[in-house]
Amino acid sequence: MTGSLLDLKNIHVSYGHAEVLHGISLSMEPGSIVTVIGANGAGKTTLLNAAMGVVPSTGTILYDGKPVPRSVEARVAAGMCLVPEKRELFGSMSVEDNIELGGFLRTAAERNETRGELYDRFPRLAERRKQLAGTLSGGERQMLALARALMSRPRLLLLDEPSLGLAPKIVADILRIVAELRTTGVSVLLVEQNARAALEIADFGYLVELGEVKRTGPAGELAVDPALMESYLGVG
Ligand code: ATP
């Protein structure tokens, strides 16, 4: 297949009378990791939510070269899956029941196959499959949110701040798993405030400021850009 997996063109989003995305365009190739970086309030989460159809937007969204399905459920069925910043797990349900919910649109055979792969990829979750999700550590919770998303067998994972609130060692573990997803044919649109870590695993990056794209380029170039380093990468 050639062409983009996801194409956002001139996306505008408003909350009430306040416009927070002012015409963002973004394109990603199949099999790639694209990261959206930027400060608090830049509009990164809003952009993911618009792509998933969780918030209404104007502009054009093409998925696999065609207009994206209208409803969130149809987007999930088409292979898109959002992992929200707050993870939104069911705390009073077990790890395995949370994972199972991710596969609600898949057949039993697909769920069986994916479940096995997931427990191989996340041995910590396999050990804790009977434990209540609400009692997991922050890192385990993020892994569970990822595993639940993968149970839907996505082609495109929309990941919102997977590193939020986690210790550096755990962040590295999570991002390593995200980077490995590329080898399984899953593409990832990764929103991160941790710009340095995100650019390390991404192919391409977009810097968003106040609802507009300010810079784009191969991740390796952005990671050494002097202006970006000063503002976002924590080095002067
Ligand atoms: P952060 O990294 O802090 O999560 P972000 O880049 O993801 O920030 P958004 O969460 O997309 O930014 O927010 C963009 C702007 O839209 C902010 O000014 C925010 O206050 C505003 N906003 C977000 N959600 C709503 C909402 N439901 N109602 C009104 N304003 C909102």
Side-chain angles (χ1 to χ4, degrees):
M1 197 199 77
T2 55
S4 303
L5 179 62
L6 181 71
D7 247 320
L8 306 177
K9 295 183 189 166
N10 196 24
I11 300 298
H12 290 253
V13 173
S14 298
Y15 295 114
H17 293 299
E19 186 177 89
V20 298
L21 295 189
H22 313 296
I24 288 198
S25 296
L26 175 154
S27 178
M28 60 185 293
E29 298 302 308
S32 65
I33 299 180
V34 172
T35 187
V36 177
I37 57 177
N40 272 324
K44 306 180 300 296
T45 297
T46 301
L47 184 65
L48 279 194
N49 287 342
M52 194 67 205
V54 177
V55 300
S57 60
T58 64
T60 306
I61 304 178
L62 299 180
Y63 175 67
D64 219 0
K66 297 184 282 290
V68 74
R70 194 175 273 273
S71 71
V72 176
E73 185 171 332
R75 290 182 201 197
V76 174
M80 297 173 69
C81 190
L82 173 71
V83 182
E85 186 176 309
K86 296 206 171 79
R87 331 306 198 211
E88 288 170 17
L89 299 169
F90 294 93
S92 56
M93 287 169 59
S94 67
V95 165
E96 64 184 359
D97 286 346
N98 270 276
I99 289 179
E100 221 49 38
L101 283 175
F104 77 105
L105 288 174
R106 302 296 167 219
T107 64
E110 287 173 333
R111 286 202 305 275
N112 287 339
E113 185 188 328
T114 314
R115 192 184 302 111
E117 292 165 7
L118 285 177
Y119 284 132
D120 287 344
R121 189 178 294 280
F122 298 98
R124 277 286 271 269
L125 297 181
E127 285 163 21
R128 291 160 192 274
R129 63 178 83 187
K130 301 286 178 206
Q131 192 171 323
L132 296 184
T135 65
L136 295 175
S137 71
E140 290 162 355
R141 263 205 278 273
Q142 181 55 59
M143 290 196 190
L144 178 55
L146 256 179
R148 184 179 61 181
L150 292 173
M151 192 70 179
S152 74
R153 296 165 72 103
R155 291 181 60 202
L156 173 59
L157 204 55
L158 306 163
L159 265 185
D160 198 355
E161 301 264 7
S163 76
L164 194 76
L166 302 181
K169 161 81 176 72
I170 314 281
V171 172
D173 287 348
I174 301 262
L175 292 181
R176 181 183 44 76
I177 291 170
V178 173
E180 283 169 12
L181 291 178
R182 200 173 10 202
T183 65
T184 66
V186 179
S187 308
V188 183
L189 184 56
L190 170 67
V191 158
E192 261 297 341
Q193 273 194 56
N194 192 338
R196 177 176 298 284
L199 289 171
E200 260 172 38
I201 64 158
D203 300 298
F204 212 81
Y206 287 75
L207 170 66
V208 173
E209 276 179 9
L210 296 175
E212 291 177 12
V213 173
K214 280 283 144 72
R215 286 272 279 124
T216 70
E221 282 178 22
L222 296 184
V224 295
D225 181 280
L228 228 112
M229 283 170 117
E230 202 173 322
S231 309
Y232 296 98
L233 302 175
V235 270

